[in-house]
């Protein structure tokens, strides 16, 4: 979600776009990473899955949940921008390989490329970089929970922006409950439990960036006629090019390539960004966006378990309790939008 997930690709070009990758993925909002893809595009073709959707659902939750651990390990040896650049390169390579195998073409319209460049910035380059910088000073557990606030930020935008998807009382209540959960996670009553304010703010801004990106995609890239795979591949490519220009200027190049951090970056990109998109896309096509979106609620749980069990991160009582409150609030924000009533004309 980064919900890193997540989740790293263009979300559905329909009003269902709130269920995107939590890590970027995605993950996001109707979830933390993360991003619901709606019905397949006109060029999407159905492929018979080799594994039951429940197994792929669990695998996707694990991939996105471990993405925050991969970021943490990667930043131990590489500058955050190089971790993000590596992630984008390997994620783009996976989608490029699938595009070639399926003989699909990238979009050709300059207008579409322009909008995808903006989407690549808000959905990939910016949030991925912010999460990497944030994990220099905060735990992967906290980063994963901050990622879960994406649907809450999406709710804020729905309230502030002029939108046809106006919130009802239940969704507004979910928004308030979610942010109460954030305060519980941070231990606001005791000076934020020693959490680094700068790192925490960066992680929250990253989650907000997902919400901004989803809203932008929804308003500018609906009905382009291109497959989700083609659009996502182009988006990742543009985000990679943006980082390729910026990273050498603002970050020191690595003088060595330690095996474990390098493998973490490769896994982060190839699995957490590239493969995760393909699995998520297949789930949405098979079981629908509502069911597929539920994976994002498992991401912070797995991120917390991985951080504590593998990285030895400390876990106080308020972290899991606050995370549950955040997820409950996020679930409430996904209640059906209020529809305008239409008066019946007299016969």
């Amino acid at each position: 979600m980064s919900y890193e997930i997540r989740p790293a690709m263009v979300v559905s070009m329909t009003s269902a776009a709130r269920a995107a990758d939590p890590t970027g993925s995605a993950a996001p909002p109707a979830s933390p990473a993360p991003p619901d893809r709606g019905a397949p595009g006109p060029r999407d073709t159905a492929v018979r899955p080799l594994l039951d959707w429940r197994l792929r659902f669990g695998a996707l939750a694990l991939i996105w949940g471990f993405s925050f651990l991969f970021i943490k390990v990667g930043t131990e040896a590489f500058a955050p921008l190089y971790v993000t650049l590596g992630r984008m390169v390997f994620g783009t390579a996976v989608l490029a390989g699938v595009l070639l195998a399926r003989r699909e073409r990238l979009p050709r319209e300059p207008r579409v490329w322009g909008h995808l460049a903006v989407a690549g910035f808000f959905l990939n380059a910016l949030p991925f970089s912010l999460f990497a910088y944030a994990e220099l000073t905060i735990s992967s557990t906290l980063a994963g929970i901050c990622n879960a606030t994406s649907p809450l930020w999406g709710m804020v935008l729905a309230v502030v922006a002029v939108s046809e998807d106006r919130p009802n009382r239940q969704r507004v209540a979910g928004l308030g409950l979610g942010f109460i959960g954030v305060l519980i996670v941070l231990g606001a009553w005791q000076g934020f439990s020693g959490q680094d304010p700068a790192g925490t703010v960066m992680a929250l801004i990253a989650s907000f960036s997902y919400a901004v990106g989803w809203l932008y995609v929804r308003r500018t890239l609906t009905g382009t006629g291109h497959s989700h795979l083609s659009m996502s591949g182009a988006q990742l490519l543009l985000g990679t090019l943006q980082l390729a220009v910026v990273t050498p200027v603002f970050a020191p190049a690595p003088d060595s390539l330690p095996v474990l951090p390098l493998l973490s970056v490769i896994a982060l990109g190839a699995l957490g960004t590239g493969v995760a998109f393909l699995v998520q896309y297949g789930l949405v096509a098979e079981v629908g966006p509502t069911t597929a979106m539920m994976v994002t609620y498992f991401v912070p749980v797995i991120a917390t378990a991985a951080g504590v069990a593998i990285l030895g991160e400390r876990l106080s009582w308020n972290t899991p309790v606050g995370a549950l409150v955040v997820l409950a609030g996020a679930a409430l924000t996904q209640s059906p939008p209020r529809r305008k009533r239409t008066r019946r004309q007299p016969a």
Side-chain angles (χ1 to χ4, degrees), residues 5 55-67 279 283 294-300 302-303:
I5 273 97
L55 295 177
R56 287 178 281 131
F57 183 98
L60 184 60
L62 285 172
I63 290 172
W64 276 342
F66 270 83
S67 291
V279 175
L283 285 173
M294 296 300 294
V295 69
T296 57
Y297 295 105
F298 292 89
V299 171
I302 294 173

Side-chain angles (χ1 to χ4, degrees), residues 235-320:
Q235 176 187 311
L236 275 183
L237 175 61
L238 290 169
T240 302
L241 292 176
Q242 292 169 10
L243 283 167
V245 172
V246 172
T247 300
V249 178
F250 293 98
D255 51 12
S256 63
L257 298 175
V259 174
L260 188 58
L262 179 60
L263 291 176
S264 294
V265 173
I266 294 173
L268 179 64
L271 294 178
T273 300
V275 172
F277 162 75
L278 298 173
V279 175
Q280 170 77 347
Y281 164 70
L283 285 173
V284 171
E286 182 174 353
V287 300
T290 301
T291 300
M293 154 203 103
M294 296 300 294
V295 69
T296 57
Y297 295 105
F298 292 89
V299 171
V301 177
I302 294 173
T304 299
V308 172
I310 299 176
L311 299 180
E313 295 176 344
R314 188 176 65 88
L315 186 67
S316 55
W317 70 266
N318 58 298
T319 301

Side-chain angles (χ1 to χ4, degrees), residues 49-72:
L50 297 177
L51 296 175
D52 182 81
W53 73 266
R54 296 170 186 83
L55 295 177
R56 287 178 281 131
F57 183 98
L60 184 60
L62 285 172
I63 290 172
W64 276 342
F66 270 83
S67 291
F68 297 96
L69 181 149
F70 293 147
I71 293 172
K72 191 72 172 180

Side-chain angles (χ1 to χ4, degrees), residues 126-271:
L126 178 61
F128 290 179
S129 299
L130 286 173
F131 272 120
Y133 273 106
E135 291 199 42
L136 290 176
T137 56
I138 67 173
S139 66
S140 64
T141 296
L142 179 56
I145 294 172
C146 287
N147 184 79
T149 63
S150 289
L152 306 179
W153 293 119
M155 200 63 234
V156 170
L157 292 177
V159 172
V160 174
V162 178
S163 171
E164 73 281 2
D165 189 14
R166 302 303 296 173
N168 54 26
R169 292 181 179 178
Q170 181 177 337
R171 299 177 76 183
V172 173
L175 175 65
L177 182 64
F179 283 112
I180 289 174
V182 172
L183 294 178
I184 294 175
V185 169
L186 299 179
W189 65 92
Q190 52 184 2
F192 296 100
S193 297
Q195 302 289 355
D196 177 65
T200 304
V201 168
M202 281 191 285
L204 292 173
I205 293 176
S207 297
F208 179 73
S209 180
Y210 286 139
V212 173
W214 293 325
L215 178 61
Y216 182 85
V217 166
R218 180 176 173 181
R219 293 192 172 188
T220 62
L221 289 170
T222 300
T224 62
H226 298 285
S227 72
H228 299 153
L229 177 60
S230 173
M231 297 285 283
S232 297
Q235 176 187 311
L236 275 183
L237 175 61
L238 290 169
T240 302
L241 292 176
Q242 292 169 10
L243 283 167
V245 172
V246 172
T247 300
V249 178
F250 293 98
D255 51 12
S256 63
L257 298 175
V259 174
L260 188 58
L262 179 60
L263 291 176
S264 294
V265 173
I266 294 173
L268 179 64
L271 294 178

